[in-house]
């Protein structure tokens, strides 16, 4: 339902969240003996294979690796697969960040916000079943569960802790943030603290009134009316736009087997434009929403900008089928009522996760999975930080701290979207959250390479900021 493409790039650029990777510099003179042979130590770790080392700015080293994982942790004799992950090596004397992507892993060096705050190493893990980290003959319901994925992460930690023996912090954004919490629930002692960004928690899958309420309050009344208006107008011009969509698909060798037709894919795309807008745009972008009197070209181009024409094609959906399966199976999926479109939709109520996976894969939903996570967070968890964006739809159903959650914090960055982070909070909140992360990581003084303006002595070119492109398809 909720899809986007180029809006993500625009939003991340506005928020200053994308950095470039610098070429390698000469090795630091301060490198320890253990660091000089870090590749050998990695290759000796159980199940780990070094696939590639890429040049990055000193004193870092960047590796693409894999680890041999059981396809089913309940029965390791059923076979194995190779799970891909990356390592940004800072030093074995530094703390380590376990970065769970929830999706594919980027094949380039970057630092998440916690990695910058503690000046640490960073391990970024590809979620099982995202290509190429998929078993040869996958059995989805048995093998793609939150517990199986958490156990993947546990085995990576176990393999690398003998090398990186200092404190560990886990983190992730969006689905990656959810994944970091699931890992903590099943293996609470693997890391010393967790920072989860913009992570929704759909405890009761069939109760989605919080999302409907969100869309009646976010932004200004004028902006909400404009977004409703462009959706209404797009569906009123359905015949013209569906013909255009089919022609575009034919020209670009795109198909609609999974969604069923260009007409159904188009309606789902229109449904999702408002969500996608608030997820990655700013309130100031409301001025660019086409009026209902706009030309078809202007409306078409805006929909493409905000949502992405490719998103609902087979080719756009296929890389993210593991996500839609998980949403249909355990995670849950929001159902937004969109009352202003009721008389114009042909497929009302069908824009669900199940519509984005082949019918043969549709599982029976497990309603207790998220309830278990919610109970753990509220009654047994500790050392958690949650950060949400005030204008992000995914914050409508967030994780909540409970009466027995210990040493934890929860924040909303006012006016922020799906790119919200600690730096976007109020100064006193930023300071408090930063202090907690550094305390959990055993960092007694601020990291020498933490927040700093470009060009300053504390800025490391090419390795700055969490790259939200790895969540570009988180469209529950």
């Amino acid at each position: 339902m909720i899809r986007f493409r180029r809006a993500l790039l625009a939003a991340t650029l506005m928020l200053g969240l994308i950095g470039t990777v610098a070429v390698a510099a000469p090795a630091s003179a301060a490198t320890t003996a253990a660091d000089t042979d870090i590749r050998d130590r990695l290759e000796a770790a159980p199940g780990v294979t070094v696939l590639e080392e890429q040049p990055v700015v000193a004193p870092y080293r960047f590796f693409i690796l894999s680890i041999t994982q059981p396809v089913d942790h309940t029965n390791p004799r059923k076979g194995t697969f190779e799970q891909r992950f990356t390592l940004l090596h800072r030093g074995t004397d530094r703390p380590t960040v376990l970065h769970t992507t929830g999706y594919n892993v980027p094949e380039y060096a970057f630092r998440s916000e916690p990695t910058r705050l503690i000046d640490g190493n960073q391990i970024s893990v590809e979620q099982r079943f995202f290509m190429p980290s998929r078993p040869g003959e996958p059995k989805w319901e048995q093998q793609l569960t939150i517990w199986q994925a958490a156990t993947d992460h546990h085995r990576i930690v176990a393999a690398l802790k003998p090398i990186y023996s200092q404190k560990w912090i886990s983190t992730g954004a969006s689905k990656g943030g959810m994944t970091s919490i699931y890992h903590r629930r099943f293996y609470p002692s693997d890391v010393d603290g967790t920072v989860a960004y913009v992570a929704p928690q759909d405890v009761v899958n069939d109760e989605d009134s919080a999302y409907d309420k969100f869309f009646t309050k976010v932004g200004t009344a004028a902006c909400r009316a404009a977004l409703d208006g462009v959706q209404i107008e797009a569906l009123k011009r359905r015949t013209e736009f569906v013909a255009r969509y089919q022609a575009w698909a034919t020209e670009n060798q795109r198909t609609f087997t999974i969604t069923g037709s260009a007409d159904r894919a188009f309606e789902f795309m229109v449904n999702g434009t408002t969500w996608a807008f608030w997820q990655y745009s700013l309130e100031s972008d409301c001025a660019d929403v086409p009026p209902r009197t706009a030309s078809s070209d202007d409306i078409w181009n805006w929909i493409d900008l905000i949502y992405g024409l490719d998103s609902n094609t087979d080719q756009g959906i296929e890389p993210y089928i593991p996500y839609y399966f998980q949403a249909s199976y355990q995670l849950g999926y929001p159902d937004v009522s969109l009352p202003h479109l009721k008389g114009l939709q042909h497929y009302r109520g069908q824009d669900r996760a199940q519509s984005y996976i082949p019918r043969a894969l549709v599982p029976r939903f497990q309603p207790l999975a998220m309830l278990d996570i919610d109970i753990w967070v509220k009654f047994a968890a500790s050392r958690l930080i949650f950060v949400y964006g005030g204008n992000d739809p995914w914050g409508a159903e967030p994780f909540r701290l409970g009466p027995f959650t210990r040493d934890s914090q929860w924040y909303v960055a006012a006016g922020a979207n799906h790119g919200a982070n600690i730096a976007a909070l109020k100064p006193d909140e930023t300071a408090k959250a930063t202090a907690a992360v550094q305390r959990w990581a055993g960092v007694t003084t601020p990291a020498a390479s933490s927040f700093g303006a470009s060009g300053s002595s504390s800025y490391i070119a090419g390795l700055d900021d969490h790259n939200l492109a790895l969540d570009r398809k988180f469209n529950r």
Side-chain angles (χ1 to χ4, degrees):
M1 164 179 170
I2 304 136
R3 321 243 353 161
F4 56 90
R5 187 177 61 184
R6 290 193 293 270
L8 165 63
L9 178 60
T12 15
L13 288 174
M14 284 186 287
L15 291 168
L17 293 175
I18 291 182
T20 57
V21 177
V23 297
S28 167
T31 302
T32 68
D35 292 338
T36 59
D37 67 345
I38 189 61
R39 180 167 184 150
D40 293 336
R41 299 185 70 186
L42 292 170
E43 289 176 338
V48 173
T49 300
V50 177
L51 302 176
E52 181 184 354
E53 180 175 1
Q54 294 182 2
V56 291
V57 62
Y60 296 92
R61 292 177 69 179
F62 180 68
F63 299 92
I64 299 176
L65 310 103
S66 70
I67 184 169
T68 303
Q69 296 278 20
V71 297
D72 184 348
H73 291 288
T74 67
N75 189 349
R77 293 177 296 177
K78 288 186 177 180
T80 62
F81 73 102
E82 292 298 310
Q83 183 175 28
R84 190 171 58 164
F85 68 103
T86 65
L87 167 67
L88 183 65
H89 170 79
R90 176 66 175 86
T92 55
D93 60 338
R94 300 300 306 167
T96 297
V97 170
L98 176 66
H99 174 260
T100 53
T101 68
Y103 296 100
N104 297 100
V105 68
E107 293 185 327
Y108 51 82
F110 68 96
R111 294 190 303 166
S112 65
E113 187 176 61
T115 305
R116 289 183 291 118
L117 288 175
I118 66 175
D119 192 20
N121 309 288
Q122 179 173 293
I123 295 164
S124 296
V125 185
E126 188 161 75
Q127 180 85 356
R128 63 164 44 211
F129 276 58
F130 283 83
M131 297 299 290
S133 299
R134 183 181 297 180
E137 297 181 359
K139 293 180 173 56
W140 292 71
E141 291 191 36
Q142 291 81 18
Q143 299 166 3
L144 186 52
T145 67
I146 59 174
W147 178 83
Q148 294 277 11
T151 307
D152 289 342
H153 299 132
H154 172 67
R155 293 186 76 251
I156 291 172
V157 172
L160 295 181
K161 261 195 176 179
I163 300 173
Y164 298 100
S165 59
Q166 303 301 311
K167 299 286 189 179
W168 283 57
I169 300 293
S170 62
T171 193
S174 200
K175 183 170 180 283
M178 298 160 68
T179 304
S180 70
I181 299 299
Y182 306 154
H183 171 231
R184 281 294 301 282
R185 185 267 178 266
F186 295 113
Y187 299 97
S189 300
D190 272 2
V191 300
D192 300 281
T194 299
V195 184
Y197 298 91
V198 295
Q201 167 66 334
D202 198 350
V203 181
V204 181
N205 187 44
D206 295 328
E207 210 300 293
D208 291 327
S209 60
Y211 295 106
D212 289 329
K213 184 177 180 181
F214 170 87
F215 284 111
T216 66
K217 294 186 175 182
V218 63
T220 64
C223 187
R224 296 194 298 270
L227 290 166
D228 287 353
V230 74
Q231 286 179 303
I232 291 169
E233 197 61 33
L235 289 182
K236 283 186 173 181
R237 305 185 198 187
R238 177 194 292 268
T239 301
E240 173 190 353
F241 281 146
V242 170
R244 181 184 290 205
Y245 200 15
Q246 184 62 69
W248 172 88
T250 300
E251 181 181 353
N252 291 277
Q253 298 182 314
R254 297 294 189 263
T255 53
F256 300 103
T257 303
I258 295 175
T259 54
S261 68
D263 187 62
R264 196 163 180 253
F266 172 74
E267 181 174 306
F268 291 175
M269 181 166 60
V270 173
N271 291 347
T273 54
T274 296
W275 188 299
F277 177 87
W278 290 114
Q279 185 171 353
Y280 278 109
S281 299
L282 300 176
E283 190 165 339
S284 58
D285 296 313
C286 291
D288 298 325
V289 179
R292 294 182 63 172
T293 56
S295 68
S296 292
D297 284 346
D298 285 347
I299 293 175
W300 182 257
N301 290 335
W302 183 82
I303 292 173
D304 185 23
L305 173 69
I306 295 298
Y307 191 95
L309 299 180
D310 206 35
S311 295
N312 284 0
T313 67
D314 295 337
Q315 293 71 25
I317 293 170
E318 283 173 354
Y320 300 94
I321 287 175
Y323 160 68
Y324 289 114
F325 175 87
Q326 287 189 282
S328 302
Y329 190 31
Q330 293 184 316
L331 308 186
Y333 193 88
D335 183 10
V336 183
S337 63
L338 304 173
H340 59 291
L341 300 182
K342 186 174 182 179
L344 297 168
Q345 293 168 314
H346 294 173
Y347 312 98
R348 187 166 179 81
Q350 299 179 31
D351 195 353
R352 307 283 291 169
Q354 295 91 330
S355 296
Y356 296 98
I357 57 178
R359 291 183 181 179
L361 290 182
V362 175
R364 177 176 292 183
F365 185 71
Q366 296 186 341
L368 298 182
M370 293 301 103
L371 179 60
D372 171 78
I373 298 296
D374 186 59
I375 291 172
W376 177 80
V377 168
K378 291 177 178 176
F379 291 92
S382 63
R383 300 185 306 279
L384 305 177
I385 292 177
F386 293 102
V387 179
Y388 293 94
N391 284 1
D392 178 19
W394 291 112
E397 285 199 350
F399 282 90
R400 296 286 188 185
L401 304 180
F404 298 100
T405 315
R406 303 178 305 280
D407 191 11
S408 298
Q409 301 171 27
W410 191 95
Y411 298 104
V412 174
N417 58 20
H418 208 52
N421 59 7
I422 290 173
L425 301 175
K426 297 176 182 178
D428 60 329
E429 295 174 334
T430 297
K432 183 180 178 181
T434 299
V437 174
Q438 293 176 343
R439 172 169 53 85
W440 297 340
V443 176
T444 56
T445 57
S449 57
S450 62
F451 298 112
S454 178
S456 73
S457 59
S458 63
Y459 176 80
I460 298 182
L463 291 171
D464 194 46
D465 281 314
H466 176 66
N467 190 329
L468 289 174
L470 58 87
D471 277 313
R472 64 188 177 276
K473 290 289 182 181
F474 183 70
N475 305 315
R476 287 182 41 187

